[in-house]
Amino acid sequence: MKTTTVKDVRKLNRSLILKEFYFNGPVTRLDVSRVTKLSPATVTNIVTDLLENGVLVEEGNVESSGGRPSVLLKVNPDLGYFIGVEIGESHIQTELFDIYFSKTTQYAINDLELDLSPEHLIDLVADSIGQVLRSANLKETDILGIGLGLPGIVDPESGISIFSPSWGWNNINLSELLRRKIAIPIYIDNGAKALSVAELLFGQGQGVDEFAVLLIGAGVGGAIVHNDLLLRGGSNSAGEIGHMTLSIDGPVCRCGSKGCFEAFIGANHIFEEFGRTKDEPQPRLENRELMKKIFSNYSNPDSKERKIIQNSIQYLGAGIANLINIENPERIILGGWLGILYGEADLDLIKNVVKKYALAQSYELVDICVSNLGAEAIPMGSAAMALIDFFENVNQEDLMVIGGNRLKQRN
Amino acid sequence: MKTTTVKDVRKLNRSLILKEFYFNGPVTRLDVSRVTKLSPATVTNIVTDLLENGVLVEEGNVESSGGRPSVLLKVNPDLGYFIGVEIGESHIQTELFDIYFSKTTQYAINDLELDLSPEHLIDLVADSIGQVLRSANLKETDILGIGLGLPGIVDPESGISIFSPSWGWNNINLSELLRRKIAIPIYIDNGAKALSVAELLFGQGQGVDEFAVLLIGAGVGGAIVHNDLLLRGGSNSAGEIGHMTLSIDGPVCRCGSKGCFEAFIGANHIFEEFGRTKDEPQPRLENRELMKKIFSNYSNPDSKERKIIQNSIQYLGAGIANLINIENPERIILGGWLGILYGEADLDLIKNVVKKYALAQSYELVDICVSNLGAEAIPMGSAAMALIDFFENVNQEDLMVIGGNRLKQRN
DNA sequence: ATAATTAAATTAAGTAGTAAAATAAGTATA
DNA sequence: TATACTTATTTTACTACTTAATTTAATTAT
């Protein structure tokens, strides 16, 4: 945000203070003042505002040891709920979160048909949302926002799915399609970018200035976060690391190019290599159970599986090293169901390969780790996009409609 | 910069207004108000300040066609000068710029000895600065700042050369060494990053939100600019694209790793390939004349030179494509003496190779071009680091010492 | 029980932004 | 020449930050 006026400063500081109460609450005004470096006067001023509007509530006092006891405050737990939806190549996972992001209920659709129209997809999403609302006994007005995370290139501003590799769409306004069915603010982004939001707020990205997330599953995606801000590039495709060239004369990728990162480390490659050894028909890309079975043989030193996975890790490490050389991040987070399997199988080997290919100074800084949010972090991250907007835009205007009939839509 | 207080806003707006007068001056207060979106009242307020302190001067009126005639203002051309120093693997190029960055005089040292101590290097730099001061008949107090651009990883905050590939140094505080000899504020950074500053302020990066610069010469470096800010990563090595892996089993690079970008496209590789065909001893890396001769045969369709260069362009294109996939920039600027040769030889071929390896959506957005600042843009960019600091820190405190005895040092 | 001490929260004076009204400095015209 | 019109700049009233001073609400000591 550009801050040229005092009003911009107010908005920024309100958000800063609110985040502090959210993530570290209950805390006192003076605690917040110390952490945010804002003056106690300013904290009092903004807190008064937030209290009047019901965003914060008091929660008892801190025991005094001489002196006026300080009041503990926290974000009002009854403000509302968030819904996050992961749209995968073959499944839809819908989850409901309370204000503090405890998962309250969920609904899954698996084995989506292969050629799905945008309208049909949005019907399924709307149905899923209806399902979780019913099972939690909530109304639309109880939900502060719905986030969607999907494959491909997405423009969050307009709500348009610019390009979907899974279904071959171009320029479909999914946001608009869903808005016609549901009167809740909608947030939409690429799945890897949604995942990075989950990591930033609740996972391994907390407090890390520069990090990148790898989303490895059926396909390979990524996202880069710099000072709490997602890098989007000029047209929202920054971080799309899956089709980086690792071998100029390598095998042809499903994208048409040659020697892509994804072609070496994606589910497709592993299944193909595995299939080749067993002469079975190739399994569906999202077959996580089969993949787990393959990885369970990694510990067997003479297994074919171990050799296949170790070979892929050579490329995984080289790809991570390229990302490290270009971005110089402090942390790389391995996410996605297959990314987590890789990391859990042999993180040390991954690190050693990265070390081989990365600049020494950049390798020294970076910490490579596995996501601790599990394979299901995309719905959480999607919902968290709505939480970020809540932090940034809880201002006088919006506050008046909290709990009422929010018609304001982001897209 | 974090803007939590009204004083931060003032500093930011002062810088915004000053830049507008600098790059578009002479202009009127109202022009600046329109472009910066700041209110006329604020512009008047800040301009009054800058006028009183001699940073701005009036330059006549705009002819009125009814209404009060507006006053034209510009940055005072007599505020001072800047010095930029490029420290290369085998040369030192020192240039003096007036406030508007017209090159006033220069001094070159070529064929540096191969193993140079930091102290000896700084002696040579200080001598060079003395030379340009003498030939322009200026005193140290006439210079607003000195910028140094050098190979390797540099920490601009501390002034330390963290790692120098050319001379094998680690953690040398060059800034401190030079400060002992010269009482002018010193700014220091990696050469590719300095180049990107020149492109941002005076070259092909002007007005472009997301761009990357490739510095191709004896070695290969790079820098990424995002919303007018250089991306540094966690330890100042972001953008160091030269040792990105393009072929996991490729030839060994001088860095020790295998299949590096630099090993395929750097001067070393071209000379090696060329030498192989002629059985001559390998020329020194900085032999620009020989390289120009090689490239001059590119237009000959059957020449060995054309084949060598076209082969390197395959890798150059793949490397640029990787950068594009990760960063999604709007523009890629080819710089450095060898980078300019590549671009002038066959920009169309480069673009076609990039197209082959990049995501279609990212390729569609990006514009690949050749630097128009020439092969000598690093001294300019180095000096421009001081200009940026001038924009950002011309505030009450600093203004009082302009033209006087500035002892304030950045590092 | 009252006074002193301590620490939290609030109020006050100063600075810097905006929007809107007022003023300034011209040209055009009756 | 005087009035109307235009356009640039400045002043005014209001908001939101800071630091410093004050008020508030407890504990501790006499």
Side-chain angles (χ1 to χ4, degrees):
Chain A
M1 196 179 103
K2 59 174 196 295
T3 35
T4 51
T5 80
V6 281
K7 297 234 166 165
D8 298 330
V9 173
R10 177 67 162 195
K11 193 175 164 186
L12 225 59
N13 287 342
R14 186 195 291 265
S15 163
L16 194 64
I17 288 173
L18 186 53
K19 275 185 210 161
E20 191 53 34
F21 280 112
Y22 182 88
F23 288 107
N24 299 104
V27 284
T28 70
R29 289 171 177 83
L30 227 52
D31 290 335
V32 171
S33 162
R34 274 186 289 264
V35 173
T36 60
K37 317 268 185 189
L38 291 167
S39 72
T42 298
V43 175
T44 287
N45 187 327
I46 289 178
V47 163
T48 302
D49 221 18
L50 292 171
L51 271 171
E52 277 170 6
N53 287 293
V55 177
L56 295 179
V57 289
E58 295 192 352
E59 175 157 287
N61 288 19
V62 170
E63 200 65 2
S64 164
S65 57
R68 177 172 174 173
S70 50
V71 178
L72 286 166
L73 297 143
K74 64 175 184 183
V75 171
N76 183 350
D78 300 324
L79 280 176
Y81 295 78
F82 298 99
I83 289 175
V85 183
E86 173 183 8
I87 300 174
E89 294 204 8
S90 61
H91 72 286
I92 296 172
Q93 174 79 17
T94 303
E95 301 186 351
L96 176 74
F97 298 91
D98 69 17
I99 193 85
Y100 286 123
F101 269 71
S102 295
K103 198 203 290 184
T104 301
T105 180
Q106 58 182 309
Y107 184 81
I109 301 177
N110 289 305
D111 299 315
L112 287 182
E113 45 189 282
L114 285 174
D115 56 337
L116 202 58
S117 72
E119 289 77 14
H120 188 182
L121 175 70
I122 291 301
D123 279 348
L124 294 172
V125 168
D127 288 351
S128 303
I129 293 167
Q131 288 285 348
V132 298
L133 286 181
R134 261 189 303 277
S135 64
N137 199 22
L138 293 173
K139 306 180 303 297
E140 287 191 356
T141 49
D142 296 321
I143 310 299
L144 294 167
I146 297 171
L148 308 186
L150 57 145
I153 300 169
V154 180
D155 178 11
E157 289 296 310
S158 63
I160 292 173
S161 166
I162 304 289
F163 168 66
S164 158
S166 312
W167 301 287
W169 302 335
N170 276 295
N171 300 313
I172 304 291
N173 195 325
L174 294 180
S175 217
E176 174 59 29
L177 288 175
L178 185 56
R179 178 158 48 247
R180 288 189 200 143
K181 299 178 159 274
I182 293 182
I184 304 174
I186 297 160
Y187 305 83
I188 182 166
D189 209 336
N190 163 275
K193 292 194 169 65
L195 175 60
S196 75
V197 173
E199 294 293 346
L200 173 65
L201 297 187
F202 303 107
Q204 305 266 31
Q206 288 174 90
V208 182
D209 285 336
E210 314 270 343
F211 70 91
V213 174
L214 256 66
L215 173 63
I216 310 176
V220 175
I224 301 155
V225 177
H226 165 75
N227 291 340
D228 295 354
L229 239 67
L230 204 42
L231 291 186
R232 308 200 150 274
S235 55
N236 291 299
S237 74
E240 278 300 324
I241 201 178
H243 301 282
M244 173 171 64
T245 305
L246 280 187
S247 179
I248 200 165
D249 296 313
V252 173
C253 175
R254 59 177 177 165
C255 77
S257 184
K258 284 193 294 185
C260 292
F261 193 32
E262 181 173 312
F264 290 114
I265 68 159
N268 194 30
H269 176 75
I270 302 267
F271 283 140
E272 246 179 24
E273 293 284 305
F274 186 69
R276 211 173 277 161
T277 65
K278 300 248 174 168
D279 283 326
E280 279 167 11
Q282 202 199 300
R284 198 153 174 201
L285 290 186
E286 279 282 1
N287 192 333
R288 303 183 186 191
E289 288 314 311
L290 178 57
M291 190 65 84
K292 272 185 195 158
K293 234 174 90 187
I294 294 174
F295 271 78
S296 70
N297 281 319
Y298 185 83
S299 48
N300 180 348
D302 300 318
S303 64
K304 187 78 186 170
E305 286 87 349
R306 187 177 177 95
K307 289 195 185 68
I308 291 171
I309 294 165
Q310 287 193 329
N311 184 259
S312 280
I313 286 179
Q314 291 298 314
Y315 290 91
L316 175 60
I320 293 175
N322 281 0
L323 185 60
I324 289 172
N325 281 356
I326 293 179
E327 293 293 334
N328 185 23
E330 293 162 57
R331 182 167 285 173
I332 297 279
I333 304 168
L334 291 172
W337 58 273
L338 180 51
I340 293 174
L341 286 176
Y342 272 120
E344 287 175 347
D346 202 340
L347 192 57
D348 286 338
L349 177 61
I350 296 172
K351 287 181 182 175
N352 281 332
V353 178
V354 170
K355 185 172 185 176
K356 200 164 71 178
Y357 291 106
L359 278 182
Q361 283 74 18
S362 298
Y363 178 76
E364 230 166 78
L365 177 80
V366 78
D367 167 42
I368 301 171
C369 67
V370 180
S371 170
N372 56 9
L373 298 174
E376 299 296 345
I378 294 182
M380 185 184 212
S382 304
M385 300 190 296
L387 178 64
I388 286 182
D389 189 55
F390 169 73
F391 290 146
E392 288 176 358
N393 292 312
V394 175
N395 55 28
Q396 244 82 335
E397 294 81 63
D398 291 350
L399 281 174
M400 287 190 270
V401 291
I402 277 186
N405 188 22
R406 271 166 301 91
L407 288 171
K408 183 202 156 228
Q409 309 262 345
R410 193 179 177 216
N411 299 321
Chain B
M1 196 179 103
K2 60 174 195 295
T3 35
T4 50
T5 81
V6 284
K7 297 232 166 164
D8 298 329
V9 173
R10 177 68 162 196
K11 194 174 163 187
L12 225 58
N13 286 343
R14 187 195 290 266
S15 163
L16 194 64
I17 287 173
L18 186 53
K19 276 185 211 161
E20 191 53 34
F21 281 113
Y22 182 89
F23 289 107
N24 299 104
V27 284
T28 70
R29 291 171 176 82
L30 225 54
D31 290 335
V32 171
S33 162
R34 274 187 289 264
V35 174
T36 60
K37 317 268 185 189
L38 291 168
S39 72
T42 299
V43 175
T44 288
N45 187 327
I46 289 179
V47 163
T48 302
D49 221 17
L50 293 171
L51 271 171
E52 276 170 6
N53 287 294
V55 177
L56 295 179
V57 289
E58 295 192 352
E59 175 157 288
N61 288 18
V62 170
E63 201 64 3
S64 164
S65 57
R68 176 173 176 175
S70 51
V71 179
L72 286 166
L73 298 142
K74 65 174 183 183
V75 171
N76 184 351
D78 300 324
L79 280 177
Y81 295 78
F82 297 98
I83 290 175
V85 184
E86 174 184 7
I87 301 173
E89 293 205 7
S90 62
H91 72 286
I92 296 172
Q93 174 78 17
T94 303
E95 301 186 352
L96 176 73
F97 298 92
D98 69 15
I99 192 87
Y100 287 122
F101 270 71
S102 294
K103 199 203 288 183
T104 302
T105 181
Q106 59 181 306
Y107 183 81
I109 300 177
N110 289 306
D111 299 315
L112 287 181
E113 45 189 282
L114 285 174
D115 55 336
L116 203 58
S117 73
E119 290 76 14
H120 189 183
L121 176 69
I122 291 300
D123 280 346
L124 294 172
V125 168
D127 288 351
S128 303
I129 292 167
Q131 287 285 349
V132 299
L133 286 181
R134 261 188 302 277
S135 64
N137 200 22
L138 294 173
K139 307 180 303 296
E140 286 191 357
T141 50
D142 296 321
I143 310 299
L144 293 168
I146 297 171
L148 308 186
L150 56 145
I153 300 169
V154 179
D155 178 12
E157 289 296 311
S158 63
I160 293 173
S161 166
I162 303 290
F163 168 66
S164 158
S166 314
W167 301 288
W169 302 335
N170 276 296
N171 301 312
I172 303 292
N173 195 325
L174 295 181
S175 217
E176 174 59 30
L177 288 176
L178 185 56
R179 178 159 49 246
R180 289 189 198 141
K181 299 179 158 273
I182 292 181
I184 304 174
I186 297 160
Y187 305 83
I188 184 166
D189 210 336
N190 162 275
K193 292 194 169 66
L195 176 60
S196 76
V197 173
E199 295 293 345
L200 172 65
L201 297 186
F202 302 107
Q204 304 266 31
Q206 288 174 90
V208 182
D209 285 336
E210 312 271 342
F211 70 92
V213 174
L214 256 66
L215 173 63
I216 311 176
V220 175
I224 301 155
V225 176
H226 164 74
N227 291 339
D228 295 354
L229 238 67
L230 205 42
L231 291 187
R232 308 201 151 273
S235 56
N236 291 298
S237 73
E240 279 300 324
I241 200 178
H243 302 281
M244 172 170 64
T245 304
L246 280 187
S247 179
I248 201 165
D249 296 313
V252 173
C253 176
R254 58 176 177 166
C255 77
S257 185
K258 283 193 294 185
C260 292
F261 193 33
E262 181 174 312
F264 290 114
I265 68 158
N268 194 32
H269 176 75
I270 303 267
F271 284 140
E272 246 179 25
E273 292 285 304
F274 186 69
R276 213 173 276 160
T277 65
K278 300 249 175 171
D279 282 328
E280 279 167 9
Q282 202 198 300
R284 197 150 176 204
L285 290 186
E286 279 281 1
N287 193 332
R288 303 183 187 192
E289 288 314 310
L290 178 58
M291 190 64 86
K292 273 185 193 158
K293 235 174 88 186
I294 294 174
F295 270 78
S296 69
N297 281 318
Y298 185 83
S299 49
N300 180 347
D302 300 318
S303 65
K304 187 79 186 169
E305 286 86 348
R306 187 178 177 93
K307 290 196 185 67
I308 291 171
I309 294 166
Q310 286 193 331
N311 184 259
S312 280
I313 286 179
Q314 291 298 314
Y315 291 91
L316 175 59
I320 293 175
N322 280 0
L323 186 60
I324 289 173
N325 281 355
I326 293 178
E327 292 294 333
N328 186 22
E330 293 161 57
R331 182 168 285 173
I332 297 279
I333 303 168
L334 291 172
W337 59 273
L338 180 51
I340 292 174
L341 286 177
Y342 272 120
E344 287 174 346
D346 202 341
L347 192 57
D348 285 339
L349 178 60
I350 296 172
K351 287 182 182 173
N352 281 331
V353 178
V354 170
K355 185 173 184 175
K356 201 164 72 179
Y357 291 105
L359 277 182
Q361 283 73 19
S362 298
Y363 178 76
E364 230 166 76
L365 177 80
V366 79
D367 167 43
I368 301 171
C369 67
V370 180
S371 170
N372 56 9
L373 298 174
E376 298 295 344
I378 294 182
M380 184 184 212
S382 304
M385 299 189 297
L387 178 64
I388 287 181
D389 190 55
F390 169 73
F391 290 146
E392 288 176 357
N393 292 312
V394 176
N395 55 28
Q396 245 83 336
E397 293 80 62
D398 292 349
L399 282 174
M400 287 189 270
V401 290
I402 276 185
N405 188 22
R406 271 166 300 91
L407 288 171
K408 184 205 154 226
Q409 309 261 348
R410 193 181 178 215
N411 299 320

